[in-house]
Amino acid sequence: MKLDYLENYNGLHENLVRLYNFDKTEAIKFKNLLEEIVINKKQKLNLAEIDFIEPINCNLIFGLFKSDEGILTKNNENFFCILTLESFIKMITLIEPFCKKDTRAHQYLYDVDTPTDLLFCPSAT
């Protein structure tokens, strides 16, 4: 699984933090990490510390907050995905189809009106 940042990917000043190039096994590992660390233990999940995730040009840290803020950054290298517990539980539901079979589909992992979206995309195209 790879992690990268695409700035202004569509010419509309919209950005993507993208988790891509993975199979069903890695989707399951990622879902389990989110459940265990963020949802159950209520701790931050730093993707730079995860052995099966290869950061290309950025890092992403997931953390709980009292409101859905989406992805925030100050330097376009270190990103923070700040969501409520309910939104992380919904994210797990959005990831589950990727854990059942290998697919070329993709999924945005939250619906917050910010300039940066989080894309879950096994094929990377």
Side-chain angles (χ1 to χ4, degrees), residues 89-120:
I89 291 169
K90 183 177 180 185
M91 186 181 290
I92 295 298
T93 303
L94 295 172
I95 293 170
E96 282 177 346
F98 297 91
C99 300
K100 294 181 179 158
K101 67 177 185 173
D102 287 320
T103 178
R104 296 181 60 85
H106 65 275
Q107 178 66 55
Y108 290 94
L109 295 183
Y110 65 77
D111 185 22
V112 180
D113 189 19
T114 64
T116 304
D117 290 320
L118 178 58
L119 183 67
F120 200 64

Side-chain angles (χ1 to χ4, degrees), residues 12-115:
L12 300 173
H13 302 289
E14 294 176 339
N15 312 308
L16 281 178
V17 172
R18 181 174 65 156
L19 283 163
Y20 68 99
N21 195 28
F22 58 87
D23 60 15
K24 177 177 76 168
T25 303
E26 288 179 328
I28 291 168
K29 286 182 183 178
F30 179 70
K31 179 183 79 77
N32 290 344
L33 275 173
L34 274 177
E35 286 178 320
E36 180 184 337
I37 305 297
V38 179
I39 294 173
N40 295 337
K41 292 183 178 176
K42 297 183 178 29
Q43 296 176 350
K44 290 179 184 172
L45 174 60
N46 184 344
L47 297 190
E49 299 172 353
I50 308 305
D51 61 354
F52 68 90
I53 297 176
E54 178 187 350
I56 302 300
N57 64 353
C58 68
N59 185 35
L60 180 61
I61 299 170
F62 291 92
L64 288 171
F65 200 63
K66 62 183 182 278
S67 62
D68 288 326
E69 302 298 325
I71 291 183
L72 305 174
T73 186
K74 289 184 178 177
N75 60 12
N76 290 345
E77 291 177 15
N78 296 299
F79 294 87
F80 300 88
C81 183
I82 302 170
L83 301 170
T84 61
L85 180 61
E86 294 75 25
S87 289
F88 276 111
I89 291 169
K90 183 177 180 185
M91 186 181 290
I92 295 298
T93 303
L94 295 172
I95 293 170
E96 282 177 346
F98 297 91
C99 300
K100 294 181 179 158
K101 67 177 185 173
D102 287 320
T103 178
R104 296 181 60 85
H106 65 275
Q107 178 66 55
Y108 290 94
L109 295 183
Y110 65 77
D111 185 22
V112 180
D113 189 19
T114 64

